[in-house]
């Protein structure tokens, strides 16, 4: 099955920027609506941004709107999340996946290891 590998997480100061990458073992980005999720301790996994298979529509959670930008390169089987003006509340493990159902955050593939983003002074 498809494997997903997230990378790019780091420890940054508030107001800083990071660019996360999601590499897939198959051509999933041209076939599925895909997105970035995050999970912090004690919280359920939350969809923060997604992009349609054709790349023509992007949607963001209110908490990140205006600060994060989702994009992808179908040819390289890679999706990105540009994160600007980072806040401590953005601290979480970030995951990517293909979206199966929005209401339950059901996805098509097994979760990867995620990449840790820590925003602190």
């Amino acid at each position: 099955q498809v494997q997903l590998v997230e990378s790019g997480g780091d420890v940054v100061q508030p107001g800083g920027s990071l660019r996360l990458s999601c590499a897939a073992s198959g051509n999933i980005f041209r076939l599925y609506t895909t997105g970035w999720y995050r999970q912090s301790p004690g919280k359920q996994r939350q969809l923060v941004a997604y992009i349609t298979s054709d790349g023509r529509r992007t949607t963001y959670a209110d908490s990140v709107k205006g600060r994060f930008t989702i994009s992808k390169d179908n040819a390289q089987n890679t999706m990105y999340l540009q994160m600007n003006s980072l806040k401590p509340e953005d601290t979480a493990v970030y995951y990517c996946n293909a979206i199966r159902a929005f209401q339950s955050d059901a996805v098509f593939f097994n979760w990867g290891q995620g990449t840790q983003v820590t925003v602190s002074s």
Side-chain angles (χ1 to χ4, degrees):
Q1 202 196 21
V2 169
Q3 294 190 170
L4 301 166
V5 179
E6 301 91 349
S7 62
D10 206 347
V11 179
V12 296
Q13 295 189 88
S17 297
L18 285 173
R19 192 187 194 196
L20 308 184
S21 296
C22 169
S25 61
N27 303 133
I28 70 166
F29 299 113
R30 65 181 179 86
L31 300 173
Y32 299 89
T33 293
T34 50
W36 285 94
Y37 299 76
R38 68 185 182 189
Q39 187 169 33
S40 54
K43 300 268 191 178
Q44 69 180 142
R45 206 188 319 256
Q46 173 193 22
L47 179 66
V48 298
Y50 67 83
I51 186 168
T52 54
S53 58
D54 60 11
R56 292 176 180 171
R57 301 287 184 274
T58 58
T59 303
Y60 303 90
D62 289 343
S63 57
V64 308
K65 193 174 181 65
R67 301 186 296 117
F68 291 9
T69 303
I70 189 171
S71 63
K72 60 178 182 171
D73 185 333
N74 291 344
Q76 293 189 13
N77 296 331
T78 305
M79 182 171 65
Y80 305 96
L81 186 68
Q82 179 65 47
M83 309 164 68
N84 298 326
S85 302
L86 283 162
K87 303 175 179 180
E89 307 90 86
D90 297 318
T91 296
V93 179
Y94 285 72
Y95 304 86
C96 58
N97 220 309
I99 299 167
R100 188 181 187 97
F102 288 101
Q103 71 274 13
S104 60
D105 281 346
V107 295
F108 278 101
F109 308 113
N110 292 143
W111 296 104
Q113 290 294 306
T115 187
Q116 175 71 233
V117 172
T118 302
V119 185
S120 71
S121 300

